[in-house]
Amino acid sequence: MKKSYLWSFIALTGLTNAIEPQQPLRQQKITQNEPTNLTQIITSSPLLTFHKNIVEIPSISGNEKSVGEYIINFLASQNFTVEKQLVTPATETEKERFNVYAYVGENRFPDVLLTSHIDTVPPFIEYSLHAPSTDFNREDLIIAGRGTVDAKASVAAIVFAALETLHENPSASLGLLFDVGEEKSGIGMKFFSDSELNPDPASYKAIIFGEPTELKLVAGHKGTMGFKIIAKGKAAHSGYPELGKSAISAILPVLQYVDNLQNIHPEEGGLLRSEKFNASTLNIGVISGGQAASVVPALLRGGDGSVVVDFGDLGGAPPQYLDADVEGFEVITVNYGTDVPSLVIRGEKKVKRYLYGPGTIHVAHGDDEAITVGELERAVEGYKRLINAAL
Ligand SMILES: [Zn+2]
């Protein structure tokens, strides 16, 4: 049974505390790059400060509680009604996990939902600022650290796009969902999807998902499918391999064959291709098996007989076809999975789904995860254009 827990506060601070939209001075030249000056660029901008604050709170999947609480307090201070949707309660060893759901006043089922995730992949990497050269434009300042791109850049830009939209159009029907666990199991979005906040038929007109897309509008992403290849042999002394049957020897040609399937045309037995998504992408991510160098390996991931493929319980999702009908965006497709398939749209009504965000996936899970000031600020404008088109 799934419940949602209402945090019953409406901000007491009044509209005067709401953040005013501001025109950033992008082309401002920075001629000195002492750390204080770099920091000033961040502290003089509410958007960049909010982004810094959420990046500085570690939130590796499973440990999202502190950053979730920070975002709840921030949204409440900006006059949002905020609900804390408990996904898993605290246990002796684990902290509670919750999605953050926010809207204006009592408009609990808004027309446009903006969403991204607040968990990151490990390890935590400290927030840091880097001048790209000794003499640079403000917008080229580099912000590095875990989550600066994936997906706290989207979270920050979404929040400020919503605030600026509401400043210009206070009756805009907007909601925000920041979910947990996207990087590991998708537990947060799946929980939201099954909850009363995602009714049948769907109440939303449009859902805007935030992920690093280099400020391009994503017309779709590939589906995913995981499987295991299992080989079993017979153990023997390595000095007398003819007395056994090596599972590793059995699986090697199979792995080489599978590894090359993405390069073979489907008509010749390779993996599927489509005009929209091009060739399939395949990765052999984990190999395990064998006991010792002196033993002919009997087992590679269990199984029986020779080499079999197990489509078991590794999960998967079909390809996602998304909307890209808003003028002024470059349109692309991407190879990575997102929360999109986890949010099930119910009923007959067409709900538009957009996928857009700042930063590039190419650094998203790496040691060099980083974004520029300009990308973050342009994303606010991009989200505002998507919101206005969707409204
Ligand atoms: Zn992500």
Side-chain angles (χ1 to χ4, degrees), residues 64-348:
E64 303 97 339
K65 182 172 183 271
S66 300
V67 80
E69 281 167 351
Y70 179 86
I71 293 169
I72 284 175
N73 289 330
F74 181 86
L75 293 175
S77 79
Q78 300 299 317
N79 298 317
F80 281 97
T81 308
V82 191
E83 293 189 26
K84 176 178 170 182
Q85 185 181 46
L86 189 67
V87 175
T88 53
T91 64
E92 265 177 34
T93 51
E94 281 166 40
K95 293 178 193 164
E96 64 174 352
R97 302 180 75 184
F98 54 84
N99 296 329
V100 178
Y101 185 66
Y103 46 92
V104 181
E106 297 185 356
N107 185 13
R108 197 170 183 229
F109 295 98
D111 289 343
V112 177
L113 180 69
L114 294 120
T115 179
S116 191
H117 61 92
I118 55 173
D119 65 316
T120 72
V121 296
F124 178 68
I125 302 170
E126 298 265 356
Y127 181 98
S128 59
L129 299 174
H130 305 272
S133 58
T134 48
D135 185 6
F136 64 97
N137 284 326
R138 175 188 174 281
E139 68 170 348
D140 296 326
L141 175 64
I142 296 162
I143 307 170
R146 177 62 74 226
T148 49
V149 174
D150 190 6
K152 291 172 178 175
S154 290
V155 172
I158 282 172
V159 166
F160 281 78
L163 287 172
E164 292 187 17
T165 302
L166 289 166
H167 187 82
E168 291 155 19
N169 172 14
S171 62
S173 180
L174 297 183
L176 306 176
L177 169 66
F178 298 120
D179 60 272
V180 294
E182 190 274 344
E183 296 289 5
K184 222 171 173 183
S185 58
I187 187 174
M189 185 58 89
K190 286 174 190 160
F191 188 92
F192 178 86
S193 181
D194 291 343
S195 77
E196 54 163 341
L197 291 173
N198 182 35
D200 184 3
S203 54
Y204 308 106
K205 277 203 257 179
I207 303 173
I208 302 170
F209 293 85
E211 284 283 358
T213 72
E214 302 175 1
L215 305 176
K216 295 166 189 167
L217 202 47
V218 173
H221 66 69
K222 292 181 182 181
T224 54
M225 184 177 70
F227 58 90
K228 295 175 189 170
I229 302 170
I230 299 160
K232 193 178 180 189
K234 184 172 179 291
H237 192 288
S238 60
Y240 304 91
E242 67 276 13
L243 298 178
K245 187 181 164 215
S246 166
I248 288 177
S249 297
I251 211 166
L252 282 177
V254 178
L255 289 182
Q256 193 166 36
Y257 176 77
V258 169
D259 199 34
N260 192 43
L261 277 178
Q262 59 194 318
N263 303 319
I264 299 173
H265 203 273
E267 281 159 25
E268 284 142 32
L271 295 179
L272 289 177
R273 292 172 188 211
S274 74
E275 211 174 298
K276 182 155 183 145
F277 298 114
N278 299 316
S280 294
T281 314
L282 184 133
N283 176 48
I284 300 175
V286 179
I287 296 183
S288 68
Q291 290 84 47
S294 59
V295 180
V296 174
L299 205 65
L300 213 66
R301 303 287 306 144
D304 189 26
S306 49
V307 181
V308 294
V309 178
D310 174 9
F311 287 95
D313 55 358
L314 293 180
Q320 298 298 307
Y321 296 86
L322 301 166
D323 295 283
D325 54 356
V326 183
E327 294 285 304
F329 290 94
E330 193 181 329
V331 176
I332 55 165
T333 60
V334 296
N335 290 352
Y336 55 89
T338 66
D339 266 338
V340 171
S342 298
L343 181 44
V344 178
I345 311 284
R346 301 199 172 82
E348 299 295 307

Side-chain angles (χ1 to χ4, degrees), residues 6-20:
L6 185 67
W7 266 31
S8 57
F9 53 73
I10 295 186
L12 304 170
T13 46
L15 267 170
T16 46
N17 252 4
I19 285 164
E20 301 278 324

